[in-house]
Amino acid sequence: MTEGKPTNAKWWSRPRPQGAGAAPGGRGDDSGDYELRRPEEAPGPGGTADDATGVTPGPAGRAARAGAAADPSAGRPKPLHDPDPYSTPPYGEPGPWAPAPPVQHPATPPTASPAATPAHGTAVPAMAPPRTPSPPPAPASPAPAPPASAPTVAAPAVTMPAPASAPPAPAATGTASPPRDPWRNYDPWATAPAPLQQNGAAVLGTDQHRRRARKGLVLGAVLLALVSGGVGGAVGAYLERNGGLGEVELSQAAEGAKGRAPDSVAGIAASALPSVVTLHVSGSEAQGTGTGFVLDERGHILTNNHVVEPAGDDGRITVTFSGGETAKAEVVGGDGGYDLAVVKVTGVSGLKPLPLGNSDDVQVGDPVVAIGAPFDLANTVTAGIISAKERPITAGGEKGDGSDVSYVDALQTDAPINPGNSGGPLVDASARVIGINSAIRSGGDGTDVEGQAGSIGLGFAIPINQGKRVAEELINTGRATHPVIGVTLDMDYAGDGARVGTEGADGGPSVSAGGPADEAGVKAGDVITEVDGQRVDSGEELIVKIRAHRPGDRLELTLRRDGRERKVTLTLGSSSGG
């Protein structure tokens, strides 16, 4: 449809009768649709026929043709709308921006023969009237309805050419019902007899719907599982990090046995601690802290000589027991050569002496426990093993004249020993004393807290057999005796063994006349290489080996003189220590 559209036109308005036969009150203006051009009438058998269509016109048709002959312009259809300069659908040509409106073609009457849709502008012949006339339908509602409610006008009946075997249909009379023109009865707003698929998509079958439903269920189940897993993981992580949603209550083992095996570290410590004391020493020039242990019920306590030495003659010594009780103590005696001293407390009852063991029975690898007050931390317990025996060491020497140098044939242990442990007991698995903690070897410059050395696992203890003898002498006489052989050694000798000096310390002979060495035939310049079959590498080591014995013990010495070796036997003498 390329005709124009009026300004206030009604889209898809129903066709109305045109011409002289229009009903009264009908619209004859250009506000509605226009009628298609009627085909020219053909002459019937007894009259003039239309050469183009072969249809015999009726009276109305003849009148119309007479009017058309009088007015040449009456033969063309008159547009009922103003021309549309924009060609807007549906009256204009469809533009690229909108599709043409859908057209639902009416069903073809069964009496009509199938015919192709004529081209635009071609006159459409009227359909043959039905054989049985039907009354016009009455209006049922205000809704749009076929134009049966309007006054009907008999339209010129047009008969379609019949097959050759049938005569032409007679024309309709004025009293017959109007023909059922499908183009006049077309209602685009009427309900379609069947659903139409406007988008061209295929209609799904029952099986396809079921498969799609199953896929949807499977997909929903998978999504539900993923969401549930994520939520569960988040909740689990929260509970793991925060320990649950309620109050925190920590688990704890049930109360176990309080007792410990006697040979365990705890059992050894429980047995030995009541007999261990801490000593606080202060003097006019120095002060210090050390450890000791009870020897008897009379109040004698054994410790190192360098622990009580700062007290001097007018200093003060305070003893603190493991239970916290304190008491004043006095020095009974001390010996710098052995680095041992005995102090005594008075007015204290209930003392528990610590039993003494036998250091000669100790084997390398035996477990040991060290008890003391390192850095004034009382009742400290450490454990280790015996790392070596008869380790010759020297300690002291701060005075410079050698009077404070101690020579010890020590027990070596890896039990941590630190400053403050000095004088404390080194006990075996039976809680018996086998050594007195005395010295340590430190790495580097050995400085730690307050310039004091710290342990690196090399601790040394005086064997208890030697400590017992010295302690008894100090308690009984106040002085300790040292075993001697009666020679002066050359301490600057760098060769193997210990060489007898050429002269004594006071300028006299290096071998004391009438002494043990002199009686055994030892001469100045002899080199002593062995003591009782044990090799000697230096003068300090020879002194350590000799002091490990008591005065009166017999020793066998191996000498090297003028390149030849010889053996001599002597009896150790004694000298008072200081």
Side-chain angles (χ1 to χ4, degrees), residues 226-262:
L226 292 176
V227 173
S228 301
V231 173
V235 173
Y238 175 81
L239 294 178
E240 181 180 0
R241 293 179 181 177
N242 298 276
L245 301 177
E247 296 181 355
V248 176
E249 183 175 355
L250 303 178
S251 60
Q252 186 177 19
E255 184 177 357
K258 296 183 179 180
R260 295 293 183 270

PDB file of all heavy atoms in Angstrom, residues 226-262:
ATOM      1  N   LEU A 226      27.981 -27.252  44.892  1.00  0.00           N
ATOM      2  CA  LEU A 226      29.089 -26.291  44.966  1.00  0.00           C
ATOM      3  C   LEU A 226      28.855 -25.250  46.048  1.00  0.00           C
ATOM      4  O   LEU A 226      29.749 -24.924  46.836  1.00  0.00           O
ATOM      5  CB  LEU A 226      29.266 -25.615  43.601  1.00  0.00           C
ATOM      6  CG  LEU A 226      29.770 -26.513  42.468  1.00  0.00           C
ATOM      7  CD1 LEU A 226      29.816 -25.737  41.159  1.00  0.00           C
ATOM      8  CD2 LEU A 226      31.153 -27.069  42.795  1.00  0.00           C
ATOM      9  N   VAL A 227      27.650 -24.727  46.087  1.00  0.00           N
ATOM     10  CA  VAL A 227      27.345 -23.712  47.109  1.00  0.00           C
ATOM     11  C   VAL A 227      27.448 -24.308  48.509  1.00  0.00           C
ATOM     12  O   VAL A 227      28.011 -23.713  49.431  1.00  0.00           O
ATOM     13  CB  VAL A 227      25.955 -23.109  46.860  1.00  0.00           C
ATOM     14  CG1 VAL A 227      25.549 -22.190  47.998  1.00  0.00           C
ATOM     15  CG2 VAL A 227      25.949 -22.341  45.543  1.00  0.00           C
ATOM     16  N   SER A 228      26.909 -25.533  48.679  1.00  0.00           N
ATOM     17  CA  SER A 228      26.980 -26.176  49.992  1.00  0.00           C
ATOM     18  C   SER A 228      28.420 -26.432  50.395  1.00  0.00           C
ATOM     19  O   SER A 228      28.805 -26.216  51.551  1.00  0.00           O
ATOM     20  CB  SER A 228      26.188 -27.492  49.956  1.00  0.00           C
ATOM     21  OG  SER A 228      24.838 -27.257  49.617  1.00  0.00           O
ATOM     22  N   GLY A 229      29.246 -26.912  49.435  1.00  0.00           N
ATOM     23  CA  GLY A 229      30.662 -27.135  49.752  1.00  0.00           C
ATOM     24  C   GLY A 229      31.377 -25.857  50.137  1.00  0.00           C
ATOM     25  O   GLY A 229      32.178 -25.832  51.072  1.00  0.00           O
ATOM     26  N   GLY A 230      31.109 -24.781  49.395  1.00  0.00           N
ATOM     27  CA  GLY A 230      31.756 -23.512  49.744  1.00  0.00           C
ATOM     28  C   GLY A 230      31.351 -23.011  51.114  1.00  0.00           C
ATOM     29  O   GLY A 230      32.178 -22.582  51.909  1.00  0.00           O
ATOM     30  N   VAL A 231      30.045 -23.087  51.396  1.00  0.00           N
ATOM     31  CA  VAL A 231      29.580 -22.643  52.717  1.00  0.00           C
ATOM     32  C   VAL A 231      30.154 -23.519  53.813  1.00  0.00           C
ATOM     33  O   VAL A 231      30.624 -23.042  54.860  1.00  0.00           O
ATOM     34  CB  VAL A 231      28.033 -22.641  52.753  1.00  0.00           C
ATOM     35  CG1 VAL A 231      27.535 -22.342  54.157  1.00  0.00           C
ATOM     36  CG2 VAL A 231      27.490 -21.607  51.778  1.00  0.00           C
ATOM     37  N   GLY A 232      30.160 -24.849  53.567  1.00  0.00           N
ATOM     38  CA  GLY A 232      30.720 -25.743  54.577  1.00  0.00           C
ATOM     39  C   GLY A 232      32.200 -25.501  54.807  1.00  0.00           C
ATOM     40  O   GLY A 232      32.682 -25.521  55.942  1.00  0.00           O
ATOM     41  N   GLY A 233      32.949 -25.266  53.708  1.00  0.00           N
ATOM     42  CA  GLY A 233      34.378 -24.974  53.873  1.00  0.00           C
ATOM     43  C   GLY A 233      34.619 -23.691  54.641  1.00  0.00           C
ATOM     44  O   GLY A 233      35.516 -23.619  55.496  1.00  0.00           O
ATOM     45  N   ALA A 234      33.831 -22.666  54.335  1.00  0.00           N
ATOM     46  CA  ALA A 234      34.006 -21.403  55.068  1.00  0.00           C
ATOM     47  C   ALA A 234      33.695 -21.573  56.545  1.00  0.00           C
ATOM     48  O   ALA A 234      34.416 -21.082  57.415  1.00  0.00           O
ATOM     49  CB  ALA A 234      33.103 -20.328  54.452  1.00  0.00           C
ATOM     50  N   VAL A 235      32.612 -22.304  56.840  1.00  0.00           N
ATOM     51  CA  VAL A 235      32.264 -22.526  58.248  1.00  0.00           C
ATOM     52  C   VAL A 235      33.340 -23.351  58.941  1.00  0.00           C
ATOM     53  O   VAL A 235      33.750 -23.068  60.076  1.00  0.00           O
ATOM     54  CB  VAL A 235      30.884 -23.210  58.348  1.00  0.00           C
ATOM     55  CG1 VAL A 235      30.590 -23.611  59.786  1.00  0.00           C
ATOM     56  CG2 VAL A 235      29.805 -22.276  57.836  1.00  0.00           C
ATOM     57  N   GLY A 236      33.846 -24.398  58.255  1.00  0.00           N
ATOM     58  CA  GLY A 236      34.897 -25.218  58.849  1.00  0.00           C
ATOM     59  C   GLY A 236      36.168 -24.427  59.112  1.00  0.00           C
ATOM     60  O   GLY A 236      36.808 -24.579  60.154  1.00  0.00           O
ATOM     61  N   ALA A 237      36.569 -23.584  58.143  1.00  0.00           N
ATOM     62  CA  ALA A 237      37.767 -22.759  58.343  1.00  0.00           C
ATOM     63  C   ALA A 237      37.579 -21.800  59.512  1.00  0.00           C
ATOM     64  O   ALA A 237      38.488 -21.584  60.320  1.00  0.00           O
ATOM     65  CB  ALA A 237      38.075 -21.982  57.058  1.00  0.00           C
ATOM     66  N   TYR A 238      36.386 -21.223  59.617  1.00  0.00           N
ATOM     67  CA  TYR A 238      36.141 -20.305  60.736  1.00  0.00           C
ATOM     68  C   TYR A 238      36.239 -21.041  62.070  1.00  0.00           C
ATOM     69  O   TYR A 238      36.846 -20.559  63.024  1.00  0.00           O
ATOM     70  CB  TYR A 238      34.769 -19.672  60.578  1.00  0.00           C
ATOM     71  CG  TYR A 238      34.358 -18.802  61.753  1.00  0.00           C
ATOM     72  CD1 TYR A 238      34.816 -17.491  61.864  1.00  0.00           C
ATOM     73  CD2 TYR A 238      33.537 -19.301  62.761  1.00  0.00           C
ATOM     74  CE1 TYR A 238      34.453 -16.704  62.940  1.00  0.00           C
ATOM     75  CE2 TYR A 238      33.177 -18.519  63.838  1.00  0.00           C
ATOM     76  CZ  TYR A 238      33.628 -17.222  63.921  1.00  0.00           C
ATOM     77  OH  TYR A 238      33.287 -16.458  64.995  1.00  0.00           O
ATOM     78  N   LEU A 239      35.623 -22.238  62.117  1.00  0.00           N
ATOM     79  CA  LEU A 239      35.664 -22.996  63.372  1.00  0.00           C
ATOM     80  C   LEU A 239      37.085 -23.426  63.703  1.00  0.00           C
ATOM     81  O   LEU A 239      37.488 -23.441  64.874  1.00  0.00           O
ATOM     82  CB  LEU A 239      34.757 -24.222  63.260  1.00  0.00           C
ATOM     83  CG  LEU A 239      33.253 -23.935  63.131  1.00  0.00           C
ATOM     84  CD1 LEU A 239      32.485 -25.227  62.988  1.00  0.00           C
ATOM     85  CD2 LEU A 239      32.742 -23.147  64.339  1.00  0.00           C
ATOM     86  N   GLU A 240      37.864 -23.782  62.673  1.00  0.00           N
ATOM     87  CA  GLU A 240      39.237 -24.211  62.941  1.00  0.00           C
ATOM     88  C   GLU A 240      40.086 -23.055  63.454  1.00  0.00           C
ATOM     89  O   GLU A 240      40.910 -23.219  64.350  1.00  0.00           O
ATOM     90  CB  GLU A 240      39.848 -24.784  61.669  1.00  0.00           C
ATOM     91  CG  GLU A 240      41.283 -25.282  61.854  1.00  0.00           C
ATOM     92  CD  GLU A 240      41.859 -25.844  60.576  1.00  0.00           C
ATOM     93  OE1 GLU A 240      41.140 -25.841  59.555  1.00  0.00           O
ATOM     94  OE2 GLU A 240      43.018 -26.278  60.603  1.00  0.00           O
ATOM     95  N   ARG A 241      39.901 -21.877  62.894  1.00  0.00           N
ATOM     96  CA  ARG A 241      40.709 -20.734  63.306  1.00  0.00           C
ATOM     97  C   ARG A 241      40.283 -20.194  64.665  1.00  0.00           C
ATOM     98  O   ARG A 241      41.123 -19.748  65.446  1.00  0.00           O
ATOM     99  CB  ARG A 241      40.599 -19.617  62.265  1.00  0.00           C
ATOM    100  CG  ARG A 241      41.227 -19.974  60.932  1.00  0.00           C
ATOM    101  CD  ARG A 241      41.062 -18.848  59.930  1.00  0.00           C
ATOM    102  NE  ARG A 241      41.646 -19.172  58.642  1.00  0.00           N
ATOM    103  CZ  ARG A 241      41.591 -18.378  57.574  1.00  0.00           C
ATOM    104  NH1 ARG A 241      40.980 -17.207  57.676  1.00  0.00           N
ATOM    105  NH2 ARG A 241      42.125 -18.745  56.438  1.00  0.00           N
ATOM    106  N   ASN A 242      38.994 -20.242  64.932  1.00  0.00           N
ATOM    107  CA  ASN A 242      38.503 -19.639  66.165  1.00  0.00           C
ATOM    108  C   ASN A 242      38.168 -20.660  67.236  1.00  0.00           C
ATOM    109  O   ASN A 242      37.707 -20.285  68.320  1.00  0.00           O
ATOM    110  CB  ASN A 242      37.252 -18.798  65.861  1.00  0.00           C
ATOM    111  CG  ASN A 242      37.551 -17.648  64.915  1.00  0.00           C
ATOM    112  OD1 ASN A 242      37.995 -16.589  65.338  1.00  0.00           O
ATOM    113  ND2 ASN A 242      37.341 -17.851  63.623  1.00  0.00           N
ATOM    114  N   GLY A 243      38.395 -21.937  66.940  1.00  0.00           N
ATOM    115  CA  GLY A 243      38.188 -22.950  67.967  1.00  0.00           C
ATOM    116  C   GLY A 243      36.741 -23.191  68.330  1.00  0.00           C
ATOM    117  O   GLY A 243      36.445 -23.580  69.453  1.00  0.00           O
ATOM    118  N   GLY A 244      35.833 -22.974  67.417  1.00  0.00           N
ATOM    119  CA  GLY A 244      34.433 -23.248  67.721  1.00  0.00           C
ATOM    120  C   GLY A 244      33.658 -21.968  67.968  1.00  0.00           C
ATOM    121  O   GLY A 244      34.180 -20.854  67.911  1.00  0.00           O
ATOM    122  N   LEU A 245      32.382 -22.164  68.256  1.00  0.00           N
ATOM    123  CA  LEU A 245      31.496 -21.023  68.450  1.00  0.00           C
ATOM    124  C   LEU A 245      31.272 -20.695  69.918  1.00  0.00           C
ATOM    125  O   LEU A 245      30.828 -19.613  70.239  1.00  0.00           O
ATOM    126  CB  LEU A 245      30.145 -21.310  67.778  1.00  0.00           C
ATOM    127  CG  LEU A 245      30.209 -21.588  66.259  1.00  0.00           C
ATOM    128  CD1 LEU A 245      28.821 -21.922  65.750  1.00  0.00           C
ATOM    129  CD2 LEU A 245      30.791 -20.403  65.517  1.00  0.00           C
ATOM    130  N   GLY A 246      31.559 -21.644  70.791  1.00  0.00           N
ATOM    131  CA  GLY A 246      31.342 -21.401  72.216  1.00  0.00           C
ATOM    132  C   GLY A 246      32.612 -20.947  72.910  1.00  0.00           C
ATOM    133  O   GLY A 246      33.586 -20.503  72.289  1.00  0.00           O
ATOM    134  N   GLU A 247      32.610 -21.068  74.223  1.00  0.00           N
ATOM    135  CA  GLU A 247      33.767 -20.680  75.007  1.00  0.00           C
ATOM    136  C   GLU A 247      34.906 -21.672  74.795  1.00  0.00           C
ATOM    137  O   GLU A 247      34.688 -22.860  74.558  1.00  0.00           O
ATOM    138  CB  GLU A 247      33.395 -20.628  76.496  1.00  0.00           C
ATOM    139  CG  GLU A 247      32.355 -19.555  76.825  1.00  0.00           C
ATOM    140  CD  GLU A 247      32.043 -19.521  78.307  1.00  0.00           C
ATOM    141  OE1 GLU A 247      32.580 -20.399  79.025  1.00  0.00           O
ATOM    142  OE2 GLU A 247      31.286 -18.645  78.729  1.00  0.00           O
ATOM    143  N   VAL A 248      36.126 -21.170  74.889  1.00  0.00           N
ATOM    144  CA  VAL A 248      37.316 -21.998  74.695  1.00  0.00           C
ATOM    145  C   VAL A 248      37.627 -22.734  75.985  1.00  0.00           C
ATOM    146  O   VAL A 248      37.732 -22.126  77.055  1.00  0.00           O
ATOM    147  CB  VAL A 248      38.518 -21.136  74.266  1.00  0.00           C
ATOM    148  CG1 VAL A 248      39.772 -21.979  74.173  1.00  0.00           C
ATOM    149  CG2 VAL A 248      38.223 -20.450  72.944  1.00  0.00           C
ATOM    150  N   GLU A 249      37.760 -24.039  75.873  1.00  0.00           N
ATOM    151  CA  GLU A 249      38.127 -24.863  77.027  1.00  0.00           C
ATOM    152  C   GLU A 249      39.238 -25.797  76.572  1.00  0.00           C
ATOM    153  O   GLU A 249      39.034 -26.670  75.723  1.00  0.00           O
ATOM    154  CB  GLU A 249      36.935 -25.660  77.542  1.00  0.00           C
ATOM    155  CG  GLU A 249      37.260 -26.472  78.794  1.00  0.00           C
ATOM    156  CD  GLU A 249      36.036 -27.164  79.361  1.00  0.00           C
ATOM    157  OE1 GLU A 249      34.930 -26.921  78.835  1.00  0.00           O
ATOM    158  OE2 GLU A 249      36.197 -27.938  80.312  1.00  0.00           O
ATOM    159  N   LEU A 250      40.435 -25.589  77.101  1.00  0.00           N
ATOM    160  CA  LEU A 250      41.597 -26.348  76.679  1.00  0.00           C
ATOM    161  C   LEU A 250      41.620 -27.710  77.365  1.00  0.00           C
ATOM    162  O   LEU A 250      41.242 -27.846  78.522  1.00  0.00           O
ATOM    163  CB  LEU A 250      42.879 -25.579  77.013  1.00  0.00           C
ATOM    164  CG  LEU A 250      42.989 -24.176  76.410  1.00  0.00           C
ATOM    165  CD1 LEU A 250      44.274 -23.503  76.842  1.00  0.00           C
ATOM    166  CD2 LEU A 250      42.915 -24.237  74.895  1.00  0.00           C
ATOM    167  N   SER A 251      42.073 -28.683  76.599  1.00  0.00           N
ATOM    168  CA  SER A 251      42.189 -30.033  77.157  1.00  0.00           C
ATOM    169  C   SER A 251      43.447 -30.141  78.013  1.00  0.00           C
ATOM    170  O   SER A 251      44.440 -29.440  77.783  1.00  0.00           O
ATOM    171  CB  SER A 251      42.232 -31.059  76.025  1.00  0.00           C
ATOM    172  OG  SER A 251      43.350 -30.813  75.181  1.00  0.00           O
ATOM    173  N   GLN A 252      43.392 -30.983  78.973  1.00  0.00           N
ATOM    174  CA  GLN A 252      44.520 -31.161  79.888  1.00  0.00           C
ATOM    175  C   GLN A 252      44.564 -32.616  80.340  1.00  0.00           C
ATOM    176  O   GLN A 252      43.533 -33.262  80.528  1.00  0.00           O
ATOM    177  CB  GLN A 252      44.374 -30.240  81.110  1.00  0.00           C
ATOM    178  CG  GLN A 252      45.581 -30.247  82.038  1.00  0.00           C
ATOM    179  CD  GLN A 252      45.408 -29.262  83.170  1.00  0.00           C
ATOM    180  OE1 GLN A 252      44.294 -28.834  83.464  1.00  0.00           O
ATOM    181  NE2 GLN A 252      46.492 -28.884  83.805  1.00  0.00           N
ATOM    182  N   ALA A 253      45.779 -33.106  80.479  1.00  0.00           N
ATOM    183  CA  ALA A 253      45.953 -34.488  80.918  1.00  0.00           C
ATOM    184  C   ALA A 253      45.500 -34.645  82.368  1.00  0.00           C
ATOM    185  O   ALA A 253      45.562 -33.707  83.168  1.00  0.00           O
ATOM    186  CB  ALA A 253      47.414 -34.911  80.770  1.00  0.00           C
ATOM    187  N   ALA A 254      45.060 -35.835  82.657  1.00  0.00           N
ATOM    188  CA  ALA A 254      44.637 -36.116  84.028  1.00  0.00           C
ATOM    189  C   ALA A 254      45.852 -36.103  84.963  1.00  0.00           C
ATOM    190  O   ALA A 254      46.996 -36.265  84.538  1.00  0.00           O
ATOM    191  CB  ALA A 254      43.937 -37.468  84.087  1.00  0.00           C
ATOM    192  N   GLU A 255      45.581 -35.894  86.225  1.00  0.00           N
ATOM    193  CA  GLU A 255      46.663 -35.828  87.209  1.00  0.00           C
ATOM    194  C   GLU A 255      47.354 -37.184  87.290  1.00  0.00           C
ATOM    195  O   GLU A 255      46.722 -38.233  87.486  1.00  0.00           O
ATOM    196  CB  GLU A 255      46.095 -35.448  88.577  1.00  0.00           C
ATOM    197  CG  GLU A 255      47.160 -35.269  89.642  1.00  0.00           C
ATOM    198  CD  GLU A 255      46.570 -34.827  90.959  1.00  0.00           C
ATOM    199  OE1 GLU A 255      45.345 -34.608  91.000  1.00  0.00           O
ATOM    200  OE2 GLU A 255      47.333 -34.704  91.932  1.00  0.00           O
ATOM    201  N   GLY A 256      48.660 -37.151  87.062  1.00  0.00           N
ATOM    202  CA  GLY A 256      49.438 -38.386  87.076  1.00  0.00           C
ATOM    203  C   GLY A 256      50.161 -38.582  88.390  1.00  0.00           C
ATOM    204  O   GLY A 256      49.966 -37.857  89.371  1.00  0.00           O
ATOM    205  N   ALA A 257      50.999 -39.581  88.381  1.00  0.00           N
ATOM    206  CA  ALA A 257      51.776 -39.890  89.582  1.00  0.00           C
ATOM    207  C   ALA A 257      52.787 -38.785  89.853  1.00  0.00           C
ATOM    208  O   ALA A 257      53.453 -38.289  88.947  1.00  0.00           O
ATOM    209  CB  ALA A 257      52.484 -41.228  89.409  1.00  0.00           C
ATOM    210  N   LYS A 258      52.888 -38.394  91.107  1.00  0.00           N
ATOM    211  CA  LYS A 258      53.804 -37.318  91.474  1.00  0.00           C
ATOM    212  C   LYS A 258      55.210 -37.819  91.735  1.00  0.00           C
ATOM    213  O   LYS A 258      56.162 -37.049  91.695  1.00  0.00           O
ATOM    214  CB  LYS A 258      53.272 -36.594  92.712  1.00  0.00           C
ATOM    215  CG  LYS A 258      51.951 -35.884  92.474  1.00  0.00           C
ATOM    216  CD  LYS A 258      51.501 -35.125  93.709  1.00  0.00           C
ATOM    217  CE  LYS A 258      50.196 -34.382  93.464  1.00  0.00           C
ATOM    218  NZ  LYS A 258      49.729 -33.635  94.655  1.00  0.00           N
ATOM    219  N   GLY A 259      55.333 -39.062  92.025  1.00  0.00           N
ATOM    220  CA  GLY A 259      56.653 -39.609  92.300  1.00  0.00           C
ATOM    221  C   GLY A 259      57.469 -39.831  91.040  1.00  0.00           C
ATOM    222  O   GLY A 259      56.934 -39.996  89.950  1.00  0.00           O
ATOM    223  N   ARG A 260      58.782 -39.826  91.165  1.00  0.00           N
ATOM    224  CA  ARG A 260      59.691 -40.058  90.057  1.00  0.00           C
ATOM    225  C   ARG A 260      60.681 -41.149  90.454  1.00  0.00           C
ATOM    226  O   ARG A 260      60.946 -41.375  91.634  1.00  0.00           O
ATOM    227  CB  ARG A 260      60.449 -38.777  89.686  1.00  0.00           C
ATOM    228  CG  ARG A 260      59.569 -37.658  89.146  1.00  0.00           C
ATOM    229  CD  ARG A 260      58.985 -38.032  87.792  1.00  0.00           C
ATOM    230  NE  ARG A 260      58.193 -36.951  87.217  1.00  0.00           N
ATOM    231  CZ  ARG A 260      56.904 -36.775  87.395  1.00  0.00           C
ATOM    232  NH1 ARG A 260      56.229 -37.612  88.199  1.00  0.00           N
ATOM    233  NH2 ARG A 260      56.257 -35.788  86.815  1.00  0.00           N
ATOM    234  N   ALA A 261      61.196 -41.794  89.427  1.00  0.00           N
ATOM    235  CA  ALA A 261      62.173 -42.837  89.683  1.00  0.00           C
ATOM    236  C   ALA A 261      63.399 -42.235  90.370  1.00  0.00           C
ATOM    237  O   ALA A 261      63.834 -41.135  90.009  1.00  0.00           O
ATOM    238  CB  ALA A 261      62.563 -43.513  88.382  1.00  0.00           C
ATOM    239  N   PRO A 262      63.987 -42.921  91.336  1.00  0.00           N
ATOM    240  CA  PRO A 262      65.141 -42.349  92.053  1.00  0.00           C
ATOM    241  C   PRO A 262      66.330 -42.041  91.156  1.00  0.00           C
ATOM    242  O   PRO A 262      67.093 -41.116  91.446  1.00  0.00           O
ATOM    243  CB  PRO A 262      65.483 -43.431  93.079  1.00  0.00           C
ATOM    244  CG  PRO A 262      64.224 -44.213  93.251  1.00  0.00           C
ATOM    245  CD  PRO A 262      63.564 -44.193  91.909  1.00  0.00           C
TER     246      PRO A 262
END
